[in-house]
Amino acid sequence: MTQPENLRSLLQAVANGKVTPDMALDSLKDLAYEPVGEFAKIDHHRELRTGFPEVIWGPGKTPEQIVQIMEVMRLRNSVVMATRIEPAVYTALQAKITDLQYYELARICAITPPNVEPKMGGLIGILSAGTADLAVAEEAAVTAELSGFGVQRLWDVGVAGIHRLLSNRHLIESSSVLIVVAGMEGALPSVVAGLADCPVIAVPTSIGYGASFGGLAPLLTMLNSCASGVGVVNIDNGFGAAVLAGQILRTAEKLRMASSGS
């Protein structure tokens, strides 16, 4: 009932007299949130408010807690996702949830339908500066795909070999939003933004030598970008970058529908 189309159908059924108000109230009783044991309250209303369901943050939770949360969420969501799940934790989860999918590089596990197809228009292009940045880049890519967006990837195109990026300008030109992931000095988003006519979301990673200060150096570089149209998320936050890219595409779709009178 947290899906907008299901809620609309319920309200229509009440209006048509096919469902009584008491029956509808029973369906909606846990819409705001639902307790799970003594340790969690699931925000079922979040997708209606923001367009994205609640996602489980893995660190700090026991496998048993994650299992209980996922089993409650799967009753109301077609996709249930947990982030920052290490392989040993996934093994413990998979013993209890046999249909759990694991995206090892992204450190994401999820309960999904057999096929997750893009539901929204537009294309999110995701670029990584180096191979060492792939875990963060894949977190963004998998998050976007499981959220119903089309994704195209371009890995290892950092500024130390700028010809690798320039020979793939077609990906930049065909993207509706770009997520650019880089560590070290973090210069890649500025270069990409100088070539792109769409929003660029920069993601600093904690990859680099000592003077990168665990990602602080690329973060400051990205915040000081001389190219316009660059927004910056937190260090290693591929998940946040994907959600922001999705919100940009959702807003574009709302504007399109409003202008067409839909």
Side-chain angles (χ1 to χ4, degrees):
M1 197 50 62
T2 56
Q3 304 294 318
E5 59 271 19
N6 293 340
L7 183 58
R8 188 177 296 109
S9 296
L10 175 64
L11 295 175
Q12 189 64 55
V14 173
N16 295 338
K18 296 179 180 179
V19 173
T20 68
D22 285 342
M23 293 168 62
L25 181 62
D26 186 63
S27 298
L28 298 173
K29 65 181 180 181
D30 292 323
L31 185 60
Y33 64 86
E34 181 177 358
V36 180
E38 299 293 330
F39 55 84
K41 293 179 177 66
I42 306 305
D43 182 8
H44 292 307
H45 193 261
R46 188 172 304 183
E47 185 168 9
L48 288 172
R49 295 196 316 271
T50 70
F52 293 90
E54 185 170 13
V55 171
I56 302 163
W57 170 255
K61 296 182 178 70
T62 67
E64 292 75 18
Q65 289 172 335
I66 296 172
V67 166
Q68 290 184 59
I69 294 170
M70 295 190 100
E71 292 290 10
V72 169
M73 292 182 67
R74 77 182 304 171
L75 299 176
R76 294 173 177 267
N77 298 277
S78 59
V79 175
V80 179
M81 185 170 71
T83 64
R84 302 298 168 96
I85 301 296
E86 299 298 336
V89 175
Y90 166 70
T91 299
L93 298 177
Q94 204 270 336
K96 300 291 183 64
I97 306 176
T98 56
D99 59 340
L100 195 64
Q101 304 293 318
Y102 189 48
Y103 304 84
E104 185 171 4
L105 186 55
R107 293 181 295 167
I108 287 173
C109 65
I111 301 170
T112 70
N115 296 299
V116 180
E117 299 292 338
K119 297 180 294 185
M120 297 291 298
L123 192 62
I124 301 174
I126 305 181
L127 292 72
S128 78
T131 304
D133 301 310
L134 283 186
V136 176
E138 270 296 318
E139 181 181 72
V142 172
T143 297
E145 288 172 335
L146 294 180
S147 298
F149 296 95
V151 169
Q152 55 184 356
R153 296 164 168 84
L154 181 60
W155 298 159
D156 196 23
V157 289
V159 297
I162 196 69
H163 56 290
R164 299 172 300 182
L165 174 67
L166 298 177
S167 64
N168 286 280
R169 285 190 62 179
H170 61 280
L171 184 144
I172 296 173
E173 294 165 355
S174 62
S175 296
S176 310
V177 184
L178 289 160
I179 296 173
V180 185
V181 182
M184 298 293 185
E185 85 290 4
L188 184 61
S190 289
V191 175
V192 172
L195 302 170
D197 64 353
C198 64
V200 173
I201 302 169
V203 187
T205 72
S206 52
I207 300 301
Y209 295 103
S212 71
F213 297 108
L216 183 59
L219 171 64
L220 294 175
T221 296
M222 294 170 185
L223 289 171
N224 284 288
S225 173
C226 64
S228 57
V230 178
V232 187
V233 299
N234 206 349
I235 298 167
D236 291 337
N237 192 9
F239 170 81
V243 173
L244 178 55
Q247 293 291 44
I248 291 171
L249 293 183
R250 286 181 186 278
T251 300
E253 179 66 12
K254 286 181 182 178
L255 293 173
R256 186 195 67 77
M257 294 180 67
S259 64
S260 65
S262 301

